[in-house]
Amino acid sequence: MLTSVVTTSINHVLRSERWACERLQTFAGKTIGIRVPPLVNFSMLIDAAGEMQQASNAISTDATLTFSPLIVSKLLTRETSAFDSIAITGDQALADELIAIGKQIDLRVIFEQDLSKTIGDIPAHRVGQASEHLIRWPVENVERLSQALAEYWTEESGFLTKPAAIEYFAQEVQNLQFDAEQLEQRLNRLTRQNI
C-alpha cells in the first residue's frame, strides 16, 4: 500500500512537471530501488511516458538510492546537502538524473498550485509556507538538541573527549612509540657491542 501511495504521489509531481517526465523517458524500462532502512524498501519501473510504475522487489534494480530517514524532511525541503547523503548503487547516470530532477522540483510550489484551486492563491501560499516550516521544525530541533548534548558532554560533563584532546593523545602515543623504537635500537646496538 505504501508503494502505491508513493508511486501515485511521484506521478502526480511528474505530471505537474512535464519536463521531468521527458527527461526520464530516456530511461524507459529501467527500474529504481528506493531504500530508507528500516522503513521503506520498494522498486519502481520507469514507463515509456517517463512516469513510475510499481515493480516487484524481487526484480534486480538498475539503480538504487539509499538514504537515512533522518534526511527525508531535508529532501522534501530541497536542502542540497541532503542530496549528497544519498548512497547510489548501480546505474550512475540514472541515479544522477533522478537526483538532478529532485533538486529542481519544488514540492511546495506544486502543493500550493493544487491547493490554490480549492482555497485560493494567498491562503494556499500561506499554507505552503507553514507546511515547509512544519517539516523543517523537527529536524532543526533534533540538530539543535544534538549540538547542545554534544557541547554539554564535551565541555561540562567530560563524558566525551574534545577532538583537540584526542589529537594530542594520539600525538603523544605516536611520540612514545617513536621513543620506544629508538630505545630498542640503542639496546640492540649495545647488546651487539657486548657480544
Side-chain angles (χ1 to χ4, degrees):
M1 173 155 167
L2 177 65
T3 307
S4 176
V5 170
V6 171
T7 305
T8 302
S9 300
I10 290 172
N11 284 333
H12 175 72
V13 169
L14 291 173
R15 288 181 194 119
S16 299
E17 303 287 339
R18 292 305 307 168
W19 59 268
C21 287
E22 292 169 8
R23 286 172 58 177
L24 288 174
Q25 285 174 343
T26 59
F27 298 100
K30 297 217 175 202
T31 55
I32 305 159
I34 305 293
R35 310 284 181 263
V36 186
L39 307 173
V40 176
N41 180 12
F42 64 90
S43 299
M44 298 179 292
L45 172 74
I46 302 173
D47 65 16
E51 294 181 6
M52 301 295 170
Q53 302 300 322
Q54 288 182 3
S56 170
N57 284 343
I59 296 174
S60 176
T61 58
D62 294 299
T64 302
L65 306 176
T66 306
F67 49 92
S68 165
L70 300 175
I71 68 163
V72 171
S73 63
K74 291 181 179 183
L75 291 171
L76 292 174
T77 57
R78 293 179 39 201
E79 285 189 35
T80 53
S81 64
F83 288 95
D84 297 334
S85 301
I86 298 174
I88 299 169
T89 54
D91 186 341
Q92 188 70 38
L94 173 57
D96 288 343
E97 187 66 30
L98 291 169
I99 289 173
I101 289 170
K103 286 179 178 179
Q104 293 175 15
I105 289 179
D106 191 346
L107 295 176
R108 192 182 89 192
V109 171
I110 295 169
F111 175 70
E112 286 180 18
Q113 288 172 347
D114 291 344
L115 197 57
S116 71
K117 295 172 187 170
T118 306
I119 63 172
D121 290 341
I122 294 173
H125 179 68
R126 292 203 175 130
V127 169
Q129 285 179 322
S131 65
E132 186 170 353
H133 291 295
L134 189 61
I135 290 171
R136 287 184 185 201
W137 180 77
V139 173
E140 291 171 353
N141 284 336
V142 166
E143 288 174 355
R144 282 190 210 113
L145 179 62
S146 62
Q147 288 173 350
L149 286 174
E151 185 176 320
Y152 170 75
W153 285 335
T154 55
E155 301 294 332
E156 302 294 329
S157 74
F159 182 71
L160 296 177
T161 307
K162 295 178 188 176
I166 293 171
E167 288 177 28
Y168 176 76
F169 178 74
Q171 184 63 44
E172 289 296 312
V173 168
Q174 193 174 23
N175 292 343
L176 185 60
Q177 186 177 18
F178 178 75
D179 290 344
E181 289 171 3
Q182 292 279 335
L183 182 60
E184 184 178 0
Q185 288 174 3
R186 286 180 74 194
L187 285 173
N188 287 340
R189 278 184 289 196
L190 287 173
T191 55
R192 276 188 246 135
Q193 288 176 357
N194 290 336
I195 295 177

